[in-house]
Amino acid sequence: MLTRKQLELLDFIRIRMDTDGVPPSFDEMKEALDLKSKSGIHRLITALEERGFIRRLAHRARAIEIVKLPEAMERPGFTTKGFTPQVIEGDRPKQPRAALQIETVHAVELPVMGRIAAGVPIEAIQEISHHVAVPGSMLSGKGQHYALEVKGDSMIDAGINDGDIVVIREQTTAENGDIVVALVEDAEATLKRFRRRGNMIALEAANPAYETRVLPDHQVKVQGRLVGLIRSY
């Protein structure tokens, strides 16, 4: 079963392809669904692909192919509730379409503080490289948040891949099992699962190819806890 937003996006792609012969761009999809960032479109596209409704083709622009449609969508006159896709000739309209009665996703711009190692620790991260928009619902509590680009594959069994963006809530404490940004000996930053063993700290990888690092607690400082993840395709 598809969610409302997944149905809206699939219907919008279908109508554009029927009309123009090519799927819409991600910017056009973002505007049509009134989302504030393309990360939401990435998630919807991934969900549609995982459910077998669309297929993305490699090495092609706008490489989306509709594989099948829900039974209801194949009926004449189908429209999603409160949503009537409009095909605009030429440039996109300057203002959002009044016909799109869709819930707005609140997005927050977070600084990306460079890269964090999910593997061999790298130098501590200090400078902002750029900003990224994340859904406000991804942020945890009232504390400060920032984002980091993951480098390495030591957390792949936790669903964190090389190149992902992780959203971190700033805090100096952690519970056993939390995935944290740990500063080792004030010099190296790494993303690992946190375990306290008496006066020692274990930084556990989520990949059997990497060994757990066990360090005296005074050599490990928690810089933040993982609260969200953004994947790029």
Side-chain angles (χ1 to χ4, degrees):
M1 180 178 295
L2 297 181
T3 67
R4 178 182 171 189
K5 280 188 170 58
Q6 290 164 3
L7 278 171
E8 289 167 352
L9 181 58
L10 183 60
D11 200 34
F12 180 67
I13 294 171
R14 175 182 66 89
I15 288 184
R16 282 298 303 271
M17 292 185 71
D18 288 347
T19 304
D20 297 342
V22 294
S25 68
F26 271 56
D27 283 329
E28 290 168 332
M29 289 186 275
K30 175 174 69 73
E31 182 180 336
L33 269 68
D34 198 23
L35 300 181
K36 293 188 177 181
S37 76
K38 287 188 284 188
S39 61
I41 296 297
H42 278 288
R43 287 192 294 274
L44 292 173
I45 288 289
T46 298
L48 289 172
E49 185 176 35
E50 289 175 346
R51 288 160 175 78
F53 289 97
I54 65 171
R55 177 168 53 231
R56 282 180 285 190
L57 307 176
H59 311 302
R60 287 178 53 185
R62 300 191 182 189
I64 297 175
E65 176 182 59
I66 293 179
V67 177
K68 65 179 181 179
L69 294 171
E71 182 179 348
M73 192 176 288
E74 294 178 334
R75 297 169 188 163
F78 169 86
T79 58
T80 54
K81 184 178 179 181
F83 176 77
T84 303
Q86 297 184 2
V87 178
I88 306 297
E89 297 293 338
D91 293 336
R92 297 191 300 267
K94 294 182 179 179
Q95 297 181 350
R97 302 175 180 86
L100 303 182
Q101 303 297 324
I102 306 171
E103 178 184 355
T104 300
V105 175
H106 174 62
V108 178
E109 291 281 334
L110 291 183
V112 179
M113 306 294 291
R115 289 186 169 188
I116 182 73
V120 179
I122 57 177
E123 291 183 357
I125 297 164
Q126 300 292 337
E127 297 183 359
I128 298 173
S129 62
H130 60 286
H131 286 74
V132 64
V134 303
S137 60
M138 186 179 290
L139 306 186
S140 171
K142 296 182 180 180
Q144 296 296 314
H145 294 75
Y146 59 92
L148 295 166
E149 180 183 353
V150 175
K151 179 179 175 62
D153 62 356
S154 75
M155 298 301 290
I156 57 173
D157 287 351
I160 303 171
N161 298 333
D162 184 50
D164 286 349
I165 298 292
V166 289
V167 178
I168 304 297
R169 182 184 187 274
E170 287 188 10
Q171 59 186 68
T172 58
T173 61
E175 300 292 333
N176 282 342
D178 285 348
I179 296 176
V180 303
V181 173
L183 186 64
V184 179
E185 297 183 287
D186 292 322
E188 299 173 326
T190 189
L191 186 72
K192 292 290 183 292
R193 197 174 297 278
F194 176 94
R195 304 279 183 191
R196 177 174 288 279
R197 303 175 181 174
N199 62 352
M200 305 293 285
I201 300 296
L203 299 176
E204 298 177 351
N207 182 337
Y210 293 83
E211 294 183 355
T212 295
R213 298 184 70 192
V214 181
L215 300 160
D217 56 6
H218 69 271
Q219 292 183 5
V220 178
K221 294 180 181 178
V222 173
Q223 302 286 285
R225 178 174 62 86
L226 175 74
V227 296
L229 181 142
I230 301 170
R231 177 152 299 149
S232 298
Y233 292 90

